[in-house]
Amino acid sequence: IGLSKNLIGRKGIELLSNILVSNCFLRRLTLCQSQAPSDAWISLFYSLKVNSSLTTLTIKGEKINTEGTRQLASALMVNSVLEKLILRRVTLGSYGEKRHLISGLKNNHTLKVIHLTDNKMPHGEFSSLLHAIGDNSSLKELKLQECQLGFANIHNVNSLLRDRPCSLQSLDLANNFMRDER
């Protein structure tokens, strides 16, 4: 289902949540600029815990509150079918809330592709994310374009690729202000 720019709001997110709980055929869901309030996402992410068919979830240009971020992390820990997660320009709150998502990614063993493009990521948060994915044996592709990572994070990337037995095959760090400052 592709529902980009359809302004489905809270009611639409709740209906999609019900579909995800009962539908065993839906494989891909794309939501973009739905104008759903930040707390409406809680039900959608909760439904991912029991969904047995959705392999790709794409969310773009949305705001998700603290509890929604926790529910997404919790779903990632137990969901055994989601293989591709795309969160582009998604507001997930401060580092305190994002640590839940990072924990969910660390404990997920089915995600093969993660795109977190255009999400600001401070140094400590990026470092935690790299450690989490370093422990994830299923992850093959990580896209972190336009996350404002800066040059200092090159060392973190180097450590991940050199020192950890990760399965990452593709890493995209385009447009992250990574300039040699000599």
Side-chain angles (χ1 to χ4, degrees), residues 80-98:
S80 61
V81 293
L82 192 66
E83 295 178 350
K84 187 173 187 177
L85 177 64
I86 299 171
L87 301 175
R88 181 180 178 107
R89 226 175 17 262
V90 173
T91 303
L92 294 169
S94 68
Y95 175 69
E97 286 84 34
K98 289 180 186 173

Side-chain angles (χ1 to χ4, degrees), residues 83-152:
E83 295 178 350
K84 187 173 187 177
L85 177 64
I86 299 171
L87 301 175
R88 181 180 178 107
R89 226 175 17 262
V90 173
T91 303
L92 294 169
S94 68
Y95 175 69
E97 286 84 34
K98 289 180 186 173
R99 69 178 156 68
H100 297 292
L101 177 62
I102 290 168
S103 177
L105 293 173
K106 180 177 182 172
N107 293 298
N108 178 283
H109 301 288
T110 58
L111 278 173
K112 295 177 181 159
V113 176
I114 300 172
H115 292 189
L116 298 175
T117 298
D118 203 7
N119 292 297
K120 292 178 186 171
M121 205 167 290
H123 179 72
E125 190 175 295
F126 180 68
S127 181
S128 297
L129 174 67
L130 286 180
H131 284 291
I133 63 158
D135 294 335
N136 186 321
S137 61
S138 64
L139 189 63
K140 304 294 182 213
E141 179 182 325
L142 178 63
K143 186 180 281 191
L144 296 168
Q145 295 178 339
E146 302 173 31
C147 290
Q148 299 181 10
L149 300 177
F151 188 74

Side-chain angles (χ1 to χ4, degrees), residues 45-46 48-49 70-79 108:
F45 297 140
Y46 183 81
L48 286 178
K49 291 180 182 181
R70 286 186 184 140
Q71 284 296 333
L72 175 57
S74 179
L76 290 174
M77 289 183 197
V78 297
N79 183 292
N108 178 283

